[in-house]
Amino acid sequence: MNKLFSPIVLLSLLITCGASAQNIVQLQQKIQQLISAKSTTVGISIIGNNENDTLSINGDEHFPLQSVFKFHIALAVLHEVDEDKLLLYQKVPVKISDLLPDTWSPLREKYPNGNIKISLAEVLKYTVSQSDNNGCDILLRLIGGTKKSK
């Protein structure tokens, strides 16, 4: 059975190993040790500040993205918060048309009729902690879509 590899474990390893070439090798060895006992295929790629700060485990494999991208969208939203372009407590409109059926959405389950305003923090919470697909779409629209340029 496939299990998700904890991003917290990876982050801890990154912090403890630093980014020198020698530490990258140590990090790769630690990751290999952690995943070797698992009966799954794990893919990990870490790109540092230069080509010597890069490692890949099963980097040539093709893995489904699944909900990983929601984390990156949340980071983009939080960047807008850091830039004072958005506020965590600002109200975000959620129309009934935003709550698409036939997709995973605890947000839709809580607010089935839509036409509400909830805080940006709440939309982020649903999107990241509950992998809400509708919340993700709402956040993506809020920051200007996928083709937004800096």
Side-chain angles (χ1 to χ4, degrees), residues 27-118:
L27 175 61
Q28 187 163 6
Q29 290 171 346
K30 285 183 180 183
I31 293 170
Q32 290 283 16
Q33 181 183 10
L34 284 170
I35 64 176
S36 65
K38 308 296 180 205
S39 59
T40 188
T41 302
V42 175
I44 299 169
S45 291
I46 301 170
I47 301 172
N49 293 329
N50 64 58
E51 62 187 49
N52 295 326
D53 293 345
T54 302
L55 76 84
S56 181
I57 297 171
N58 294 320
D60 294 332
E61 296 284 331
H62 294 280
F63 296 95
L65 188 57
Q66 295 179 324
S67 290
V68 174
F69 68 92
K70 290 174 184 162
F71 174 72
H72 301 97
I73 292 170
L75 287 178
V77 169
L78 291 173
H79 177 73
E80 298 289 307
V81 171
D82 285 345
E83 297 286 318
D84 294 324
K85 295 176 183 173
L86 296 173
L87 302 168
L88 286 174
Y89 56 83
Q90 82 180 58
K91 296 297 181 176
V92 176
V94 179
K95 300 178 283 187
I96 186 82
S97 59
D98 293 330
L99 301 174
L100 302 175
D102 302 323
T103 188
W104 175 253
S105 183
L107 180 65
R108 184 191 62 237
E109 298 301 316
K110 183 171 182 182
Y111 304 108
N113 297 320
N115 300 320
I116 57 165
K117 291 186 177 186
I118 60 174

Side-chain angles (χ1 to χ4, degrees), residues 3 11 49 70 72 75 83 87-88 122 129-130 136-137 143-144 147:
K3 300 261 184 188
L11 184 58
N49 293 329
K70 290 174 184 162
H72 301 97
L75 287 178
E83 297 286 318
L87 302 168
L88 286 174
E122 187 174 358
S129 68
Q130 297 187 41
C136 182
D137 290 345
I143 61 172
K147 295 188 179 191

Side-chain angles (χ1 to χ4, degrees), residues 119-137:
S119 71
L120 176 58
E122 187 174 358
V123 179
L124 280 164
K125 179 182 171 188
Y126 275 101
T127 302
V128 175
S129 68
Q130 297 187 41
S131 195
D132 193 289
N133 294 324
N134 289 319
C136 182
D137 290 345

